[in-house]
Amino acid sequence: MRDVLPVLGRWYAAGVPFGLATVVNVSRSAPRDPGAAMAVGPDEEVVGSVSGGCVEGAVFELAQEVAAGGKPRLETFGYSDEDAFAVGLTCGGEITLLVRAVTAERDPGFGAVADSVAAGEPVTVATVTDGPAPRGATLAVWPDRTLGTLGASGLDAAVTADARGELALGATGLRHYGPEGQRREDSVSVFLQSFAPPPRMLVFGAIDYAAAVARIGDFLGYRVTVCDARPVFATPLRFPEGVEVVAEWPHRYLRDTTTDERTVICVLTHDPKFDVPLLTEALRRPAAYIGAMGSRRTHADRAERLAGAGLTERELSRLRSPVGLDLGARTPEEVAVSVAAEIVALRWGGSGAPLTATEGAVHPYRSS
């Protein structure tokens, strides 16, 4: 959804109705996670994808139908053994889509949500998918305000509280309530989609490997900052456009920077005078991933120095060093792929093994 919002925002601002299909639930080996979206706008223009091509033809027709005035639809697509040519998922999974029309009348908060996402402001959108509440009704929830309604004040209050909790985690998924927001009932299904600001990637050491890691971090959707104490190396000209470059002692910069459970920290300096104070700070603060470059000899020396600086075994166990997965990487670009692969595997619980050597679903859904 984040990827297609700029286009949808333009359609909305122009007053053009469009059909929006959103993945609200998946099972088994589904190709896209909840929150994936596809929209059909003016002149049959299509943006986004909900299955990587398996059911887009059928969704196109549904989106056109609701945009022309049809009621919101909740549709489930799976694999059909009886008819190999039936519309479905060849991977054997199952996805449930909410298809609804978006107009200023039906969704008064859509434009404000699009503006907030573009500005990096956190917001969660709650949408009724099923039950005794208006299907397709939306409630946009910011940390300090709301816009819209799900049809009942009690339901709005309960969903607002949960939406703010989900927003703090950057989580997306279905929640269930009673008609007036009762916690112990499940007659009303509400899809909460959080648009938290992009997670941060902090790259320390402005070497050639850093440019490659910064580039792939930007590609993966991180807000990337490269920091180095040497101004001659910490210059924007050496890094991709959009990457922030800071000339500062690494540990001082990190000490004054907020991190959270989604932050990625890559230490590429492999110089004790930078590494030890920087990693001492990093390993004692929230972060999803902390990796450090260097040989096994460098790692052993670094670990000894960190232990001498007072870090515990538990703190040291958070360090991914030598950084990256064993891909046989040699060039800076290959090393960046290795680092990115380890970050993705750690985020989703992947093994890093070839898929030919594993069993089970290729795309098991796990909440991030």
Side-chain angles (χ1 to χ4, degrees), residues 163-183:
R164 286 177 175 150
E166 298 291 87
L167 186 56
L169 300 172
T172 288
L174 280 173
R175 289 290 190 100
H176 305 280
Y177 307 87
E180 287 293 334
Q182 298 92 330
R183 300 284 183 179

Side-chain angles (χ1 to χ4, degrees), residues 30-305:
R32 302 295 304 274
D33 290 331
M38 169 181 160
V40 179
D43 300 322
E44 299 185 345
E45 182 179 355
V46 178
V47 293
S49 171
V50 291
S51 73
C54 297
V55 303
E56 267 70 3
V59 175
F60 175 81
E61 295 180 1
L62 286 171
Q64 281 190 311
E65 179 184 322
V66 299
K71 294 181 178 180
R73 300 274 295 273
L74 190 67
E75 297 286 343
T76 297
F77 295 91
Y79 178 75
S80 172
D81 290 324
E82 297 178 358
D83 183 357
F85 294 97
V87 173
L89 303 178
T90 57
C91 60
E94 186 175 274
I95 61 173
T96 300
L97 306 174
L98 177 67
V99 188
R100 63 187 181 93
V102 177
T103 64
E105 181 181 359
R106 295 189 181 190
D107 194 344
F110 191 91
V113 168
D115 291 342
S116 288
V117 173
E121 298 172 353
V123 60
T124 294
V125 178
T127 308
V128 174
T129 64
D130 205 7
R135 177 176 289 162
T138 61
L139 174 68
V141 180
W142 289 266
D144 59 350
R145 66 190 189 279
T146 64
L147 183 58
T149 179
L150 302 181
S153 59
L155 182 59
D156 288 347
V159 170
T160 295
D162 288 345
R164 286 177 175 150
E166 298 291 87
L167 186 56
L169 300 172
T172 288
L174 280 173
R175 289 290 190 100
H176 305 280
Y177 307 87
E180 287 293 334
Q182 298 92 330
R183 300 284 183 179
R184 296 188 178 184
E185 297 185 25
D186 59 1
S187 58
V188 179
S189 298
V190 178
F191 182 63
L192 301 182
Q193 185 168 15
S194 297
F195 296 95
R200 298 200 66 182
M201 173 182 280
L202 307 177
V203 182
F204 294 97
I207 59 176
D208 49 357
Y209 291 93
V213 170
R215 187 175 296 110
I216 203 165
D218 179 68
F219 175 75
L220 290 174
Y222 288 92
R223 181 163 66 93
V224 183
T225 298
V226 176
C227 175
D228 196 298
R230 302 162 295 180
V232 67
F233 294 112
T235 62
L237 293 177
R238 302 184 63 239
F239 295 94
E241 184 179 358
V243 171
E244 180 186 29
V245 181
V246 176
E248 175 63 280
W249 275 81
H251 72 283
R252 293 175 185 167
Y253 175 78
L254 183 58
R255 186 177 57 208
D256 296 331
T257 299
T258 300
T259 63
D260 60 26
E261 287 74 11
R262 301 184 302 152
T263 303
V264 166
I265 299 174
C266 298
V267 178
L268 311 181
T269 49
H270 51 79
D271 183 331
K273 69 175 177 290
F274 296 124
D275 290 0
V276 174
L278 171 60
L279 287 170
T280 299
E281 177 69 32
L283 292 168
R284 289 173 170 166
R285 60 167 51 230
Y289 175 92
I290 304 170
M293 176 177 282
S295 66
R296 298 194 188 279
R297 177 181 296 179
T298 298
H299 168 69
D301 176 71
R302 180 191 292 133
E304 184 176 348
R305 291 173 183 268

